Each structure stands twice: as structure tokens, then as C-alpha cells.
Amino acid sequence: IVTVNMDDINFKTPGKNGDIVQVYACIERKGKSSLTIRTVCVSINDKSRDRKEIINCKVTFVCLDSEGKPFP
């Protein structure tokens, strides 16, 4: 499986040293040999528990066979 595309990349705010980072993902699209996933990263301040979205984007992966061709 390889990453073929990252799209709709939105940087919201930087994470800070010591923050807890959580990554959420959900499948947006399933193809015969591809999968597009929406990801969202959130930072949580360890002391104040404030939550901030760091980044969100779409990532598309494709499964390839031994010859590098899409494989279902």
C-alpha cells in the first residue's frame, strides 16, 4: 500500500511541546484498489485540557501488486 495523494490540507494551529496529540480518521471513499481517509489531528494541553485542531486533510492510499500496478 502506498500514499498517492494528500489533499485539502488545512493547518490550523501549531501543537506545543508537552501537548497530547490525538489523530482521528474516517473512511471517505473506498475504490477497487484505493482508500481515501479524512484525518484530523487535535492537540490537548496537558494542564488546562484545552483542545485545538492542529491539521486536517484527506489521504489517498492505493494497494499495489509486486509489479507496481493497482491490485484489488
Side-chain angles (χ1 to χ4, degrees):
I1 189 164
V2 296
T3 303
V4 294
N5 190 33
M6 292 184 76
D7 198 15
D8 294 336
I9 302 170
N10 299 301
F11 293 96
K12 303 288 187 166
T13 186
K16 305 275 194 237
N17 189 20
D19 284 355
I20 298 166
V21 176
Q22 293 181 327
V23 179
Y24 299 94
C26 67
I27 297 171
E28 275 199 353
R29 182 180 169 279
K30 290 192 281 187
K32 290 183 180 180
S33 62
S34 66
L35 187 62
T36 301
I37 299 174
R38 167 66 63 183
T39 60
V40 177
C41 294
V42 176
S43 70
I44 304 168
N45 182 284
D46 193 34
K47 293 183 173 107
S48 68
R49 295 295 183 199
D50 287 339
R51 297 171 61 94
K52 294 181 183 176
E53 185 176 328
I54 299 173
I55 185 174
N56 67 57
C57 66
K58 285 193 309 188
V59 183
T60 302
F61 301 96
V62 173
C63 182
L64 302 177
D65 65 14
S66 60
E67 296 177 4
K69 296 181 182 173
F71 176 74

